[in-house]
Each structure stands twice: as structure tokens, then as C-alpha cells.
């Protein structure tokens, strides 16, 4: 077995995943739990990392994600676009000198403000590993979907859409809530929502979904899928993807399939990528750059 080199932690808001990574880049062991930053009390991050080292090994640790936010361990100032692996390494925050570092997020400041934390490791990893080319459009669907344009292997520009959060708000806190209880599936109702998105009347079309059920024109069980198609379709069309272009999608299979259908509907080509493999490739490239110095 290869020698343990470092531990990588993808530390999000609600979940955490730690990887013990060997000197040849192989993953020796993985831990996953619900100890996201919101469940860790201020001043307790040192102890949390110590527990992970006790289980995985006493080696350096690289942390990415919301652990570097104002709510996390220590705020890691953003690197600015354009940003590649070297820019992230230059702005590492060593919370335990030589032992534990937090990877900075990336900020977009060119006329429009945007930020990311954690996603930068994935998209750069997708490129350095050859999963995606150095000039590409990558999509990371989720609560806050990221659309990242890569140029010459760097994050050149990106845009965040509150697509997943909007669906959750509609489901839990809106007049549509009682109509959105069913699971979302990539079937005919979802496709109808994608088609509806081409009308560019998002706000009025959302209310129309309720009206159609109340008037007996549509089945309530289809509403969640139609609304999801409307939101995701609007998100994808906002990106103005060229017909025949390619979008590299980093997501789990279920959500990725919805976005792939929406991309296909615009005439572009979706390519599904393994988001976990991309993260590991990115954080290993960061480690190799540190170790090489």
C-alpha cells in the first residue's frame, strides 16, 4: 500500500467528507458525516481535525469549502478571477503552520460580483485531470448552481444561480407548496417545464402552475416536475449556450440527469463528470504544488 501523504477535507455547510490520500494520489480511506460548519461550535475546529487525524493518520490536512467562510474556522480571503491552482496555493491560510491549511474560494469582480468556496477545487480538478479541456463551460448544479467558464486552464468567469434554493423556497414557503410534494423525475412533465421556460415568463408561469391545478387542467402530481423543469430550463437558458456547444456537468446522477436534459433541449451537448473524482484531482494538484515547493 502506498504511503499516506495528506488528508483532504471537503467541508461544507451541512456535511463533511475527509479523504486519506496516498503519495501516488490514491484514496486510502474516506470518512463522511454531517459535521458541516454549522454544526461545529466556534473554537472547536482544531479538535475536529484532531479527531480526523486520529482516525486517518497524523499527516498534513488541506481543507476546502465553507470552512474558510466567515462562519467557518478562519476566513480565507478569496482569490480573484482569473484563478488557477497556483493562485489558490499562494493564498492558502495556514491555521496550523505546516500542518493544516484552508484553501481560499474564488471571487468574480469584473462588473458583477460572485463568489464560490469549494467548487473551485472541483472545476480546476476536472481540467488538470483531463476530464474537461482547459477552455470549457462547466456546470455544478445544486442549491446554488455554478456556471464556470474556464480559459487556459483557469477560472476566468463564473455565475451563480439560486435554482435549487428557489425550488426549496417554493416547496416549503409559497402558495405552490401543497402542489410540490411529489418527487421530481425527468419525464414528460419535466420536459413540459423545459418547454415552458422558452417563453421567458418565469414569475407568471409559476403562478400559472397553481391555477392550472385549481382549474382541473393539470394533475397535481406532475407539478413538482413541471416547476423543476421551468426553473432548471430558465437557469440553463440564461447561460446563452451556443447550439452545438458542450457543457460539462459535475453532479450526482439524479440532478445531473435533469440538467443534462435541459442542456440537450437548448441544442447543446451535456457531458457528465464525476464530481468526487474532480475534487480529489484538484486538491491533489494543490498538494503536489505545495509539496513541490
Amino acid at each position: 500500500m502506498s504511503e499516506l501523504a495528506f488528508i483532504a477535507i471537503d467541508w461544507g455547510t451541512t456535511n463533511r467528507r475527509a479523504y486519506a490520500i496516498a503519495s501516488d494520489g490514491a484514496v486510502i480511506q474516506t470518512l463522511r458525516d454531517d459535521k458541516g460548519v454549522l454544526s461545529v461550535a466556534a473554537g472547536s475546529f482544531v479538535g475536529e481535525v484532531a479527531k480526523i487525524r486520529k482516525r486517518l493518520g497524523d499527516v498534513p490536512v488541506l481543507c476546502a469549502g465553507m470552512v474558510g467562510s466567515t462562519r467557518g474556522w478562519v476566513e480565507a480571503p478569496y482569490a480573484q478571477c482569473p484563478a488557477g491552482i497556483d493562485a489558490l496555493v499562494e493564498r492558502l491560510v495556514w491555521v496550523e503552520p505546516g500542518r493544516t491549511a484552508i484553501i481560499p474560494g474564488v471571487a468574480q469582480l469584473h462588473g458583477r460580483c460572485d463568489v464560490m468556496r469549494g467548487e473551485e477545487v472541483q472545476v480546476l480538478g476536472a481540467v488538470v485531470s483531463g476530464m474537461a479541456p482547459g477552455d470549457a463551460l462547466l456546470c455544478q448544479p445544486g442549491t446554488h448552481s455554478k456556471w464556470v467558464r474556464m480559459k487556459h486552464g483557469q477560472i476566468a468567469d463564473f455565475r451563480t444561480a439560486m435554482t435549487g434554493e428557489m425550488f426549496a423556497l417554493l416547496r416549503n414557503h409559497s402558495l405552490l407548496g401543497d402542489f410540490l410534494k411529489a418527487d421530481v423525475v425527468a419525464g414528460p412533465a419535466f420536459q413540459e417545464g423545459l418547454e415552458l421556460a422558452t417563453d421567458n415568463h418565469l414569475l407568471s408561469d409559476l403562478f400559472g402552475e397553481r391555477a392550472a391545478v385549481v382549474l382541473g387542467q393539470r394533475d397535481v402530481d406532475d407539478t413538482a416536475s413541471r416547476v423543476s423543469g421551468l426553473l432548471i430550463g430558465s437557469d440553463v437558458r440564461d447561460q446563452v449556450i451556443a447550439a452545438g456547444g458542450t457543457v460539462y456537468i459535475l453532479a450526482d446522477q439524479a440532478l445531473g440527469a435533469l440538467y443534462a436534459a435541459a442542456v440537450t433541449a437548448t441544442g447543446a451537448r451535456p457531458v457528465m463528470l464525476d464530481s468526487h473524482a474532480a475534487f480529489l484531482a484538484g486538491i491533489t494538484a494543490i498538494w503536489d504544488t505545495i509539496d513541490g515547493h
Side-chain angles (χ1 to χ4, degrees):
M1 181 179 293
S2 300
E3 182 182 358
L4 176 64
F6 74 105
I7 294 169
I9 305 178
D10 187 0
W11 211 328
T13 302
T14 57
N15 296 293
R16 177 179 66 180
R17 191 189 299 258
Y19 305 87
I21 301 179
S23 53
D24 62 359
V27 177
I28 298 172
Q29 188 177 354
T30 302
L31 300 176
R32 183 176 183 179
D33 57 34
D34 59 358
K35 296 283 286 186
V37 297
L38 293 183
S39 65
V40 179
S44 299
F45 286 93
V46 172
E48 288 296 323
V49 169
K51 292 176 186 176
I52 291 174
R53 276 198 176 98
K54 187 173 182 179
R55 295 181 64 181
L56 298 183
D58 189 16
V59 291
V61 173
L62 293 182
C63 303
M66 292 302 289
V67 67
S69 70
T70 54
R71 178 56 184 84
W73 188 346
V74 172
E75 184 176 8
Y78 295 103
Q80 295 184 19
C81 291
I85 295 293
D86 287 343
L88 299 185
V89 171
E90 289 171 4
R91 298 185 71 86
L92 285 174
V93 175
W94 289 92
V95 287
E96 296 177 306
R99 293 275 289 164
T100 307
I102 296 176
I103 297 167
V106 174
Q108 160 70 36
L109 293 170
H110 305 308
R112 175 180 49 78
C113 293
D114 211 330
V115 293
M116 64 168 67
R117 284 198 188 275
E119 295 92 350
E120 71 284 347
V121 179
Q122 277 191 17
V123 296
L124 289 169
V127 170
V128 299
S129 65
M131 297 166 66
D135 295 332
L137 174 62
L138 284 78
C139 174
Q140 296 163 295
T143 303
H144 300 141
S145 298
K146 302 289 183 184
W147 293 86
V148 185
R149 294 191 182 276
M150 307 293 294
K151 290 185 179 179
H152 309 301
Q154 296 187 318
I155 300 170
D157 183 24
F158 64 95
R159 184 180 293 271
T160 303
M162 295 174 63
T163 316
E165 182 172 358
M166 183 60 67
F167 184 83
L169 288 170
L170 290 170
R171 173 175 271 176
N172 298 317
H173 302 288
S174 83
L175 192 67
L176 274 172
D178 290 340
F179 299 79
L180 301 178
K181 303 303 183 185
D183 292 334
V184 174
V185 294
F190 183 81
Q191 290 292 334
E192 290 171 5
L194 294 181
E195 180 63 28
L196 193 59
T198 64
D199 293 340
N200 295 317
H201 299 303
L202 175 62
L203 297 180
S204 56
D205 284 340
L206 284 171
F207 188 83
E209 289 301 305
R210 179 182 185 276
V213 174
V214 170
L215 295 173
Q217 300 302 298
R218 295 199 185 109
D219 188 336
V220 66
D221 291 336
D222 291 336
T223 307
S225 293
R226 281 178 57 85
V227 168
S228 178
L230 175 57
L231 291 173
I232 292 176
S234 298
D235 182 5
V236 171
R237 289 183 179 280
D238 280 348
Q239 311 313 314
V240 192
I241 305 165
T246 301
V247 180
Y248 297 86
I249 301 173
L250 292 147
D252 63 64
Q253 191 61 40
L255 185 56
L258 298 178
Y259 269 78
V263 168
T264 300
T266 68
R269 182 176 70 100
V271 176
M272 294 292 295
L273 303 181
D274 185 329
S275 58
H276 298 302
F279 174 83
L280 289 169
I283 206 160
T284 299
I286 292 170
W287 168 255
D288 289 342
T289 303
I290 298 169
D291 198 41
H293 289 170

